[in-house]
Amino acid sequence: MSLALTDLCRYPIVQAPMAGGVSRPELAAAVAEAGGLGFLAAGYKTADGMYNEVKQLRRMTGGAFGVNLFMPQPLVADPSAVEVYREQLAGEASWYETPLGDPDSSGDDGYEAKVAILLEDPVPVVSFTFGCPTREVLDAFAAAGTFTVVTVTSAQEARNAAWAGAGAVCVQGTEAGGHQSTHRDDPQGGLAGTGLLALIAEVREAVQMPLVATGGIMRGSQITAVLAAGADAAQLGTAFLPCPESGAHPLHKQALTNPLFVTTALTRAFSGRPARGLVNRFVREHGPYAPSAYPQVHQLTSGLRKAAAKTGDAQGMALWAGQGHRMARELPAGELVGLLAAESEAARAAVSVRSAR
């Protein structure tokens, strides 16, 4: 992976695939052109929608990039718990004057069709969220010349990815914004996780494979820290949210440094799966009662989230953000990549000077 990353991009800086329209081709192209590894997020898109973005990105850059896929999720939610949550959200539907979504509508994210397209017309990197593909799928991508990365949140998930034949794992600490990529959402496990530095150490001892580290990374000095801890590259999401090339809603970008939003929390309020976002009214009022039910809750709240964004109400939006959100910088993505690389190099030089004393 170290060699593969060197071949793919100038810097060990990966732009996280953020679903929901954030990681659009403009962002991935700007990162790739600056020497990082840009990513498209195929989650919540149709297979054709994903492929159109791939073609658009190819017209914008000759640099390497990746595409992220959501793994299919087992429908194991308790229907009665979902119904109770629906009743709790009735007031939100009335407030935003929009109906709640159908939790029983198809939760198929088009995984098989997306895999087929990416095997027929390969891209440099494909990563996976919410689980690990079969060995057959990973072997097929390897045969097509595509490097594969499986996102993990524990040493055991990393072992499973290694056994299945993944090229690398993306180690996601609990500091990360957006959804925690647990391979199984355990409703009894609570809303907790392992910090990134501890998780890198655990995974490094569990598997002998390349690691990409992600979770709360906002500065080049943190990139240097995770590389020193054993990672081969750093993946940043929240750091790229405020970039002009990002597709994040303007209110979402502003909220990252808005003093009204002082902290983040893991919550199931918007999707039924643990995800880290800025604590707003919706999280405070509904987070404690949201069931473990993905994608049912995601579908249930879809209209509410869109209505809140349309009316300019950040208190009802899913403001995904990592723990370092207040360090966000509103810079063009290419400029941010260059700054992060310079900061990382300065941090390495400072360490060398201290070591030589």
Side-chain angles (χ1 to χ4, degrees), residues 119-138:
L119 286 174
E120 183 177 341
D121 191 359
V123 299
V125 183
V126 172
S127 68
F128 303 88
T129 295
F130 300 154
C132 181
T134 63
R135 175 172 288 276
E136 289 74 19
V137 168
L138 292 172

Side-chain angles (χ1 to χ4, degrees), residues 101-126:
D102 179 7
D104 297 321
S105 60
S106 174
D108 180 17
D109 199 53
Y111 172 76
E112 298 291 345
K114 292 171 183 175
V115 167
I117 288 173
L118 294 173
L119 286 174
E120 183 177 341
D121 191 359
V123 299
V125 183
V126 172

Side-chain angles (χ1 to χ4, degrees), residues 2-231:
S2 301
L3 180 60
L5 270 183
T6 302
D7 292 341
L8 288 173
C9 49
R10 192 182 325 150
Y11 306 121
I13 298 173
V14 181
Q15 165 247 311
M18 295 168 280
V22 178
S23 295
R24 59 184 182 174
E26 292 88 343
L27 179 60
V31 171
E33 288 293 292
L37 181 65
F39 253 96
L40 294 175
Y44 308 135
K45 291 186 175 71
T46 65
D48 286 343
M50 175 200 74
Y51 191 45
N52 286 334
E53 287 203 346
V54 169
K55 291 188 290 186
Q56 183 181 349
L57 179 53
R58 282 174 169 154
R59 291 193 295 268
M60 299 171 73
T61 181
F65 64 91
V67 176
N68 176 259
L69 303 181
F70 283 179
M71 292 298 299
Q73 299 298 291
L75 299 177
V76 295
D78 179 357
S80 62
V82 175
E83 183 57 32
V84 169
Y85 196 54
R86 168 193 277 279
E87 294 173 1
Q88 181 180 335
L89 295 177
E92 299 284 351
S94 177
W95 174 258
Y96 290 115
E97 298 181 338
T98 189
L100 295 172
D102 179 7
D104 297 321
S105 60
S106 174
D108 180 17
D109 199 53
Y111 172 76
E112 298 291 345
K114 292 171 183 175
V115 167
I117 288 173
L118 294 173
L119 286 174
E120 183 177 341
D121 191 359
V123 299
V125 183
V126 172
S127 68
F128 303 88
T129 295
F130 300 154
C132 181
T134 63
R135 175 172 288 276
E136 289 74 19
V137 168
L138 292 172
D139 285 349
F141 274 117
T146 295
F147 194 85
T148 55
V149 183
V150 173
T151 310
V152 302
T153 61
S154 70
Q156 186 55 54
E157 289 175 355
R159 292 187 190 95
N160 295 342
W163 181 87
V169 289
C170 180
V171 179
Q172 184 194 44
T174 190
E175 304 94 334
H179 283 98
Q180 294 286 292
S181 187
T182 50
H183 293 188
R184 177 177 175 271
D185 178 21
D186 180 6
Q188 307 302 321
L191 296 173
T194 304
L196 180 58
L197 289 179
L199 188 58
I200 291 173
E202 291 179 9
V203 172
R204 178 54 71 201
E205 290 192 3
V207 298
Q208 297 301 312
M209 63 190 307
L211 310 184
V212 178
T214 190
I217 302 172
M218 302 292 290
R219 294 288 188 267
S221 58
Q222 293 171 290
I223 294 174
T224 297
V226 297
L227 296 180

